[in-house]
Amino acid sequence: MIGNPFLRAFCESSDRDTGINQLLELLHNQDSEFIESLTEPVELDRCTEEELCYLTIVSALIDYYLQRHGLPVPPWIRDSRLSFAKPFFYSRRLSDLEKVRLLYSCPAPFKARNVYFDPAGICRV
């Protein structure tokens, strides 16, 4: 079970896209309560496969945004278990050419986890 109340609520949301958008808003706005909550390690051994999948996706986003804002990245976010064996493309509407472009152009936090987002899709206005 995901212990972090924010991440658990996002994971349990009936609409994953909405949870991801809420997460992105907190990261973009550098919400201090959320950022502070990330310092508590997540007990990955107690997570289900579905929760590990979700955490792999969001850990890429969290790592990326924390680095962009010059904030420290908690060690649990870079745990080797938070990585997919095969490329995972979050957007469902990507052509093969776009997938290849993302494989080579995405930032390191995404490549390290084999999680690929279209950068235009995660930017906040």
Side-chain angles (χ1 to χ4, degrees):
M1 180 175 92
I2 300 172
N4 181 297
F6 290 98
L7 297 178
R8 183 175 57 246
F10 296 149
C11 181
E12 292 173 352
S13 172
S14 60
D15 182 4
R16 180 179 278 177
D17 291 338
T18 300
I20 296 280
N21 277 319
Q22 291 172 333
L23 170 78
L24 289 169
E25 285 298 320
L26 291 174
L27 290 167
H28 176 73
N29 294 320
Q30 299 180 45
D31 183 274
S32 59
E33 186 179 355
F34 175 69
I35 302 286
E36 181 64 30
S37 78
L38 296 174
T39 60
E40 285 294 317
V42 172
E43 296 180 46
L44 297 175
D45 293 331
R46 298 184 63 202
C47 292
T48 65
E49 284 298 316
E50 182 180 333
E51 290 171 332
L52 284 173
C53 176
Y54 178 79
L55 287 172
T56 300
I57 294 166
V58 299
S59 68
L61 292 168
I62 293 168
D63 192 348
Y64 173 71
Y65 270 90
L66 291 179
Q67 283 187 51
R68 285 192 65 207
H69 293 303
L71 299 169
V73 179
W76 72 265
I77 289 176
R78 292 188 174 156
D79 190 290
S80 62
R81 292 173 282 183
L82 297 177
S83 178
F84 292 122
K86 295 181 179 179
F88 175 88
F89 297 94
Y90 192 78
S91 177
R92 295 166 193 93
R93 298 182 202 142
L94 294 173
S95 69
D96 289 342
L97 183 59
E98 290 170 316
K99 289 178 181 179
V100 170
R101 179 185 56 81
L102 288 177
L103 285 171
Y104 290 98
S105 66
C106 270
F110 300 110
K111 290 179 182 180
R113 290 168 187 83
N114 230 355
V115 175
Y116 298 92
F117 284 89
D118 182 351
I122 62 171
C123 70
R124 304 287 96 186
V125 196

